[in-house]
Structures are given as C-alpha cells and as structure tokens.
Amino acid sequence: MVYKALTIAGSDSGGGAGIQADLKTFQECHVYGMSAITAVTAQNTKGVQGVYPLSASVILEQLTSINGDLPPQAVKTGMLVNDEIIATVADFASSSGWEKLIVDPVMIAKGGASLLGEKSIGSLINHLIPIAYVITPNIPEAEALTGREILNVDDCRRAAEDLYKMGAKHVVIKGGHQPDTLNATDTLYDGIGFYEFTSPRVSTPHTHGTGCTFSAVITAELAKGNTAYDSVQTAKDFITAAISHSLGIGSGHGPTNHWAYHEGVKI
Ligand code: PXL
C-alpha cells in the first residue's frame, strides 16, 4: 500500500519551511507527498523578502485535482494567509470527509513576518479547529488562540483543554518557546489524558521550519495508520535529530536536517 499525504501551505523558496519542509519530511517518512500551494514567499535564512498569496480559486482547483484522483490518507494545513483561504480549505475538507486533518496554525515566521492576518485568527477558531484531528500550535500561537498566558507545562495543559473544547480531537502544544533552558516539553491532550514528550533543549539558531517539519511527521505517521500518540512520539524524535544535526547553511536562521532521523544519527 502506498500511503499519500497532502500539505496545503505556503512555498518557502529557501527550502527550510512550508511546502518544501513538508514534502521532504513526507519522503523521509516513506509517504507519497502532494501539495496545494496557498502563497509563494521569497525568502532565505535571513528573512522573508516577499509574500504573494494565491487566489482562493487557484487553491480550490489544486485541491479538486488532487482529491479527484489521488485521495490522501492525511492532510495538513500550514500558512493559510487570510479568511477566504481558510474558509475555502475548511469547506473542501468537510465536504471531502477528510478525517485526518492536521492543522498547524502558522501565524508568524521566525524573523517576525506575518503569515496570517491577525484578524483571521477567528476564522481558524470558527472554521478549521472544529474539524481538526490534530492541532499543533507553538506557545505564542496557543496564546493567540486561547487568550491565555502560557508560562509553564501546567499552562500548556489548560490551553490544550481550551483548544480541545473548540473541537480539535487532539491538541499538541509544542514546548520550543518555553523559558526552560534544559528541556523542551510538548504536551498532547486527547480529551482524556495528558501526555508529555520531553527532549533536551538544543541551543542553536538553526530552527527554521521546525514547526512545519514536526506537524508533517505527525501527518505522515497518521497517513500510515499510526496512533496520535505514536505519531507525536515519532515527530518528537525526528525533530530532535533534525535540530541537533542542523546543516549550517545560510547566514541567518538555517534549516533543520530532514535526513538526520532516518540516517540514524544519534541525538
Ligand atoms: O514556519 C512557519 C512557516 C510556514 N510556512 C511558510 C513559511 C514559514 C516560516 O518562515 O515561510 C511558507
């Protein structure tokens, strides 16, 4: 069986985040990767020089082509830019009956460039989170979505409960932005229990695309039929290897190493 996964996201010309990170990750996970591009960005490790959204009709056409011939076992969303694109993707996902929809609520790039209008946060809450199988915010995104201040793992749990109540079946709050200097702890909540995934914190500027890569592993693992818990554990191991052995390219925030995990590089 060939498992297929789809990413609906922005293109990062520098290859570290967005569509490019997702497709590299799907490949590493031995899942056939497909993409519907929402926006083209001009960027490199130094920052985002330009953002060019595509029209909702172009995005809908890509989704229709893919789904009519190559139905995916799992789908992830990344940069969605604005209300119209969010509504188009959410409507298509609902009418297609996609069960494994992974929502990475991308808002701001590492250097500070906006990838989602601030007023579109309400659209994520109203349209996309209610149909998400997994949502994977980082701490600033979880704060923006819940209105809570998150300072520790207990706050992550409270925010995860809020996001679960908004309709997401599983919530993963990524710990990369925690003040803890020793560890990074991700929190998974499935409406029943909390599960924590801890790894040693790696001190490096080369973390561009970590969020995209992490949620792409979850998507690929779910496409293969793995459980949410196992998919998050694999994503944690994959991203820890990718950050620990980053490539050292570019003069700014460099990309992670998408092949480190499967080359068996020791963490
Ligand atoms: O990491 C968030 C992200 C998502 N999608 C695109 C991006 C970025 C960060 O730069 O460029 C296209």
Side-chain angles (χ1 to χ4, degrees):
M1 167 95 180
V2 175
Y3 298 103
K4 304 188 288 311
L6 165 64
T7 171
I8 306 170
S11 164
D12 168 5
S13 57
I19 289 282
Q20 287 79 0
D22 293 343
L23 291 177
K24 290 173 193 183
T25 304
F26 292 164
Q27 184 74 11
E28 287 292 320
C29 296
H30 293 183
V31 166
Y32 180 80
M34 303 176 288
S35 61
I37 297 183
T38 56
V40 173
T41 71
Q43 73 175 290
N44 52 30
T45 67
K46 296 193 276 188
V48 180
Q49 289 84 40
V51 175
Y52 305 93
L54 298 185
S55 68
S57 64
V58 173
I59 296 160
L60 184 59
E61 201 173 330
Q62 295 174 77
L63 296 176
T64 306
S65 294
I66 293 161
N67 213 40
D69 185 41
L70 298 158
Q73 276 80 32
V75 179
K76 72 158 276 193
T77 65
M79 173 184 182
L80 293 177
V81 191
N82 59 37
D83 291 343
E84 199 189 353
I85 296 180
I86 293 170
T88 301
V89 169
D91 285 352
F92 194 88
S94 299
S95 61
S96 305
W98 287 339
E99 272 174 39
K100 302 283 165 65
L101 180 67
I102 293 76
V103 175
D104 186 24
V106 170
M107 294 179 190
I108 296 171
K110 268 248 143 71
S114 171
L115 304 176
L116 179 77
E118 224 172 275
K119 59 178 179 43
S120 297
I121 291 174
S123 283
L124 281 183
I125 294 171
N126 292 328
H127 298 290
L128 216 48
I129 296 180
I131 56 169
Y133 188 71
V134 183
I135 180 170
T136 60
N138 60 27
I139 287 175
E141 290 159 356
E143 288 182 327
L145 289 165
T146 64
R148 268 180 198 282
E149 191 180 23
I150 301 174
L151 299 173
N152 51 42
V153 172
D154 208 48
D155 295 337
C156 285
R157 289 185 172 205
R158 300 291 83 78
E161 284 172 335
D162 291 349
L163 290 164
Y164 180 82
K165 282 187 200 134
M166 291 179 194
K169 294 194 175 60
H170 303 82
V171 180
V172 184
I173 304 204
K174 296 172 287 192
H177 291 75
Q178 279 156 356
D180 185 341
T181 51
L182 285 181
N183 293 309
T185 299
D186 301 334
T187 301
L188 166 65
Y189 181 58
D190 61 2
I192 301 167
F194 295 99
Y195 310 92
E196 260 114 37
F197 302 83
T198 299
S199 62
R201 183 171 291 276
V202 181
S203 172
T204 170
H206 304 308
T207 54
H208 176 61
T210 45
C212 305
T213 302
F214 180 82
S215 57
V217 179
I218 295 177
T219 306
E221 294 302 307
L222 288 171
K224 292 187 275 192
N226 292 316
T227 64
Y229 179 92
D230 288 349
S231 301
V232 174
Q233 182 65 64
T234 303
K236 183 69 167 167
D237 295 343
F238 189 111
I239 200 64
T240 304
I243 296 172
S244 306
H245 301 279
S246 59
L247 300 167
I249 56 172
S251 55
H253 286 289
T256 68
N257 180 346
H258 289 101
W259 61 74
Y261 176 71
H262 281 115
E263 295 223 329
V265 191
K266 289 278 170 292
I267 295 163

